[in-house]
Amino acid sequence: SRLRPLSFCGALPCTSHLRTMQFRLLIASLAVAATSALSVVSNKGADTTSKLDINQKVYIENAPVLGDGAGEGALNVCSSFAASHVSNPDAPAVKVCGTGIKLTAFLRGRCEGYYEHHKEIGSCNTGEDSSTCVTWSPADDARFGEYQSYLIEQC
């Protein structure tokens, strides 16, 4: 068996050309990964300077998930409704109190909108009483019983 001669792609052998392309792809991938990591790190500390007042609370099935002893860890974090809530067509019942936060519930499990299948719950009207509470459940719209994820954000 004879070895074939090395073919050329322009002025460089193809193998050298392919190595150069692979190296450039590696560098580009590392640059994208570094940029993504910096974005995550810079967003991780978002809103840490503005603490929520005691009126800002979120309850799911009467259990506090933000405020009222639950802390602020759920703020700006995509969370899933509990499996027991998703499997129960009469759940979840959501209550958002205060005028500085809102909960957006999503049909999909990734906190992504899907046509009209998302629901914002809460009052972002600072003219209302600060202890205002807004509730929403499948009793208001049966489709809400199928929703899978939620995101709590400041107004």
Side-chain angles (χ1 to χ4, degrees), residues 50-133:
S50 60
K51 292 287 184 182
L52 299 177
D53 65 49
I54 60 170
N55 296 306
Q56 312 308 310
K57 304 172 190 173
V58 176
Y59 301 89
I60 298 176
E61 290 295 313
N62 296 317
V65 293
L66 184 122
D68 201 16
E72 296 179 8
L75 192 63
N76 300 319
V77 175
C78 179
S79 302
S80 296
F81 287 113
S84 59
H85 300 157
V86 175
S87 65
N88 180 355
D90 297 325
V94 174
K95 180 166 77 169
V96 178
C97 298
T99 58
I101 58 172
K102 64 181 179 178
L103 178 145
T104 305
F106 299 91
L107 178 62
R108 292 182 168 179
R110 301 179 298 273
C111 293
E112 291 180 4
Y114 180 68
Y115 297 98
E116 75 275 0
H117 302 292
H118 64 279
K119 175 67 180 169
E120 286 187 7
I121 305 162
S123 173
C124 289
N125 182 352
T126 56
E128 290 187 15
D129 186 76
S130 60
S131 62
T132 297
C133 292

Side-chain angles (χ1 to χ4, degrees), residues 14-34:
C14 281
T15 55
S16 174
H17 181 68
L18 290 177
R19 285 189 193 129
T20 302
M21 287 177 49
Q22 288 173 340
F23 181 73
R24 286 181 182 168
L25 181 61
L26 174 66
I27 295 299
S29 298
L30 289 173
V32 168

